[in-house]
């Protein structure tokens, strides 16, 4: 007698256990009724009729996907190995289940092909210096393609760009040459600015000869403060010009006074 009541109770408990689903806040259930899409349910308590209804659960949280390392040939024919990380989430559970068989695998393959395609259109220098722009381009392309699957790509970040040893040495030589070029340009610009300032100072001193003499005295004072055994006294160029004029005048006088002619010739 007891067994006749126990069997229906056990069957009812099993039916309820198979019918009741509880979904957390970050999950949704796509319900099919006899194979046809019925609705998206959740979160909370959901009752499913066994053998008639079927539910597939979709996680709505952001998924962090590591894009495997890809061999990329840049536009300037340099082979590099690049890997990235992709952040995406499901925004439309219906499309994510119905439109694509495995939306995670599909997104991963799409990210790999897009990474190779986009980076192959840029030079190596752009890959190394313009990562933000490349990240935005890759993210936009993947997001546009995955929109039909109910996927929203939040961000794409290029993690590593690996080069072979020969290319690393070549880039190092290029960077060293660039630094030397900048140093020479900066030095030349400094010399140009100094020469302009010197010209301005010379023009100021030319207006008053006493300013040049005061500068000489200041230089002598600065040199006397140092324990130097040799003192170089700057000689004004005007004195040298005076000496030149004196020498020229002496030479002119010697030329005009010349030796007297010899009149003691043989007499007849």
């Amino acid at each position: 007698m007891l067994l006749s009541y126990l069997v229906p109770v056990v069957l009812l408990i099993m039916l309820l256990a198979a019918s009741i689903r509880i979904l957390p806040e970050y999950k949704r259930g796509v319900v099919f009724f006899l194979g046809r899409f019925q609705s998206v349910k959740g979160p909370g308590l959901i009752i499913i009729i066994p053998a008639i209804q079927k539910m597939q659960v979709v996680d709505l949280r952001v998924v962090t996907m590591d894009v495997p390392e890809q061999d990329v040939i840049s536009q300037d024919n340099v082979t590099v190995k690049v890997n990235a990380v992709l952040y995406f989430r499901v925004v439309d559970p219906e499309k994510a289940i119905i439109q694509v068989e495995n939306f995670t695998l599909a997104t991963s393959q799409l990210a790999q092909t897009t990474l190779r395609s986009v980076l192959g259109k840029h030079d190596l220098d752009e890959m190394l210096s313009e990562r933000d722009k490349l990240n935005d381009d890759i993210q936009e392309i993947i997001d546009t393609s995955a929109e039909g699957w109910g996927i929203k790509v939040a961000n794409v970040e290029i993690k590593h760009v690996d080069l072979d040893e020969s290319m690393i040495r070549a880039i190092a030589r290029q960077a060293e040459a660039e630094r030397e070029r900048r140093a020479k340009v900066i030095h030349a610009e400094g010399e140009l600015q100094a020469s302009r300032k010197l010209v301005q100072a010379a023009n100021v001193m030319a207006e008053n000869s006493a300013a040049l003499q005061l500068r000489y005295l200041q230089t002598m004072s600065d040199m006397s403060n140092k324990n130097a055994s040799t003192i170089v006294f700057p000689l004004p160029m005007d004195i040298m010009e005076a000496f030149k004029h004196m020498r020229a005048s002496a030479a002119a006088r010697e030329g005009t006074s010349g030796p007297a002619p010899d009149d003691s010739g043989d007499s007849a």
Side-chain angles (χ1 to χ4, degrees), residues 242-258:
F243 287 149
K244 290 182 181 179
H245 287 302
M246 293 173 62
R247 183 177 180 181
S249 299
R253 287 195 300 270
E254 291 178 359
T256 55
S257 61

Side-chain angles (χ1 to χ4, degrees), residues 114 134-146 153 156:
T114 305
L134 295 177
N135 292 336
D136 294 339
D137 293 342
I138 297 173
Q139 184 268 337
E140 183 179 357
I141 294 174
I142 299 177
D143 187 36
T144 303
S145 301
V153 179
V156 178

Side-chain angles (χ1 to χ4, degrees), residues 6-17:
L6 184 60
V7 172
V9 171
V10 172
L11 292 178
L12 181 60
I13 293 174
M14 294 176 60
L15 180 62
L16 290 176

Side-chain angles (χ1 to χ4, degrees), residues 5-149:
Y5 289 104
L6 184 60
V7 172
V9 171
V10 172
L11 292 178
L12 181 60
I13 293 174
M14 294 176 60
L15 180 62
L16 290 176
S19 302
I20 296 176
R21 299 285 190 276
I22 298 177
L23 296 180
E25 182 66 31
Y26 53 85
K27 289 185 178 181
R28 299 293 184 271
V30 181
V31 180
F32 295 89
F33 183 81
L34 295 178
R36 298 177 62 87
F37 170 74
Q38 183 178 8
S39 63
V40 177
K41 295 185 178 182
L45 178 64
I46 301 174
I47 298 177
I48 301 297
I49 303 176
I52 298 179
Q53 290 180 321
K54 181 181 179 182
M55 184 179 70
Q56 294 190 15
V57 180
V58 180
D59 197 325
L60 302 183
R61 291 176 294 182
V62 175
V63 178
T64 303
M65 177 182 295
D66 189 18
V67 181
E69 191 175 69
Q70 303 295 312
D71 292 328
V72 178
I73 300 178
S74 63
Q75 194 173 15
D76 50 352
N77 295 325
V78 178
T79 302
V80 296
K81 295 182 180 296
V82 183
N83 62 348
V85 59
L86 177 69
Y87 301 91
F88 72 94
R89 63 186 181 90
V90 177
V91 294
D92 192 338
E94 178 185 353
K95 291 182 179 180
I97 296 299
I98 297 176
Q99 299 297 330
V100 62
E101 180 181 2
N102 188 336
F103 63 86
T104 303
L105 178 62
T107 305
S108 175
Q109 296 297 321
L110 178 61
Q112 296 178 37
T113 56
T114 305
L115 184 66
R116 291 194 299 267
S117 177
V118 172
L119 296 184
K121 299 178 182 178
H122 294 80
D123 296 335
L124 178 61
D125 293 339
E126 295 178 355
M127 294 184 193
L128 299 177
S129 60
E130 299 183 3
R131 288 195 180 186
D132 292 339
K133 180 179 180 299
L134 295 177
N135 292 336
D136 294 339
D137 293 342
I138 297 173
Q139 184 268 337
E140 183 179 357
I141 294 174
I142 299 177
D143 187 36
T144 303
S145 301
E147 185 178 3
W149 305 336

